[in-house]
Amino acid sequence: MNPLIVANWKMNPSDSLQAEKIAEAVEISVREYETVICPPFTFIEKAGSIFNKASLGAQNCSWEVEGAMTGEISPRMLKNIGVRYVIIGHSERRKIFGESNDMISKKVKTALTEGLSVILCVGETEEEMEDGRTEEVIGIQLEEGIGNSKGDVIIAYEPVWAIGSGKACNPDAAEKARLFIKGKMENLSFQNSRILYGGSVNSKNAADYLNKALFSGLLVGGASLDIEEFKKIIGLSR
Ligand code: PGA
């Protein structure tokens, strides 16, 4: 299966013309890697009108499909405008917005029921890594986040300390985490789930995670907004 490269634009860019420019540049640069762009909600429909080779993703969704949920966007709404993937449980949502594994598991279940592919983010903080608790933390995030859900669940291993810090995880340590996640997913009856690496990915280290640490793909934040960087990442050969 070709690698899956997911771009997480986070709350950027604030200018819709800039968003269009990046989306257009990505669309013409997609080669054999499956490329998913997750723009802010306000740009999703516009990006969808530009994409043909690239696919649309969202950065978050509600655990309800409709109703009194002020400020929320439901997986059904996303599906109805052509979104295929949704990121759930990003560490910024866990930390800044207090999302618990229980909330995350409800989101995972509803998104899968609505037919979206879920990109579930897991990863340890620096303190947890230093205490040797990486596997324990990821194990709980997987068990509680997935529960008995069924469907296309992609896991993004994103050590919290590597996100946006420029301190990408060493590929050997990342591979160890990948193997742990693979085993855990098999125990949860997900035999062939794709596992992505995320955290300070750039055009120089991307190939290490795909070719050395054998991840199925990447979740890219900052470098996905830099057109030249992102073009190099999605144009790599395996
Ligand atoms: P980064 O972000 O590539 O900027 O470290 C990754 C992410 O938060 O998904």
Side-chain angles (χ1 to χ4, degrees):
M1 200 180 254
N2 278 328
L4 171 66
I5 312 292
V6 182
N8 176 10
W9 286 6
K10 309 194 181 187
M11 200 168 70
N12 301 296
S14 48
D15 169 1
S16 58
L17 286 177
Q18 178 64 9
E20 266 178 57
K21 200 171 134 203
I22 304 172
E24 279 161 6
V26 169
E27 175 61 20
I28 56 169
S29 308
V30 173
R31 304 244 289 271
E32 71 265 38
Y33 285 12
E34 189 179 347
T35 304
V36 176
I37 307 298
C38 306
F41 289 126
T42 48
F43 299 138
I44 288 183
E45 280 198 282
K46 180 71 203 174
S49 71
I50 295 168
F51 295 158
N52 180 24
K53 293 184 286 174
S55 304
L56 266 184
Q59 301 171 18
N60 180 31
C61 67
S62 170
W63 60 74
E64 295 291 345
V65 290
E66 58 185 17
M69 294 284 280
T70 301
E72 290 291 279
I73 307 278
S74 84
R76 187 172 294 173
M77 292 168 175
L78 295 173
K79 181 87 195 213
N80 284 341
I81 56 167
V83 169
R84 291 177 50 202
Y85 295 84
V86 61
I87 298 172
I88 295 179
H90 189 280
S91 70
E92 287 152 17
R93 302 240 26 117
R94 292 178 191 261
K95 186 161 169 260
I96 307 170
F97 302 98
E99 285 192 11
S100 62
N101 284 329
D102 180 49
M103 289 156 82
I104 289 165
S105 118
K106 291 197 283 181
K107 292 182 179 204
V108 168
K109 195 173 241 129
T110 311
L112 291 171
T113 306
E114 293 301 313
L116 295 174
S117 291
V118 165
I119 301 163
L120 173 64
C121 298
V122 299
E124 79 288 359
T125 61
E126 188 152 34
E127 196 185 344
E128 288 160 345
M129 176 189 60
E130 280 164 2
D131 290 348
R133 294 179 53 218
T134 298
E135 293 187 354
E136 178 201 333
V137 169
I138 300 174
I140 294 171
Q141 289 172 334
L142 290 172
E143 267 166 40
E144 296 187 0
I146 295 172
N148 55 4
S149 297
K150 297 268 167 299
D152 184 23
V153 180
I154 299 157
I155 305 300
Y157 171 56
E158 296 207 302
V160 179
W161 48 270
I163 296 176
S165 63
K167 290 192 282 177
C169 184
N170 158 309
D172 292 337
E175 181 169 28
K176 189 160 171 265
R178 181 185 67 75
L179 291 169
F180 173 77
I181 292 168
K182 183 172 185 284
K184 197 83 200 169
M185 290 302 282
E186 284 166 2
N187 288 342
L188 292 167
S189 303
F190 286 84
Q191 299 310 324
N192 294 308
S193 276
R194 287 176 283 181
I195 304 171
L196 317 180
Y197 170 77
S200 294
V201 171
N202 58 39
S203 65
K204 294 202 174 64
N205 61 23
D208 286 347
Y209 298 106
L210 299 175
N211 301 335
K212 278 197 207 151
L214 301 181
F215 280 87
S216 328
L218 304 166
L219 179 49
V220 188
S224 72
L225 290 155
D226 178 328
I227 297 172
E228 291 312 313
E229 271 291 282
F230 196 62
K231 272 180 11 190
K232 283 187 201 155
I233 296 171
I234 60 178
L236 286 169
S237 52
R238 196 164 202 182

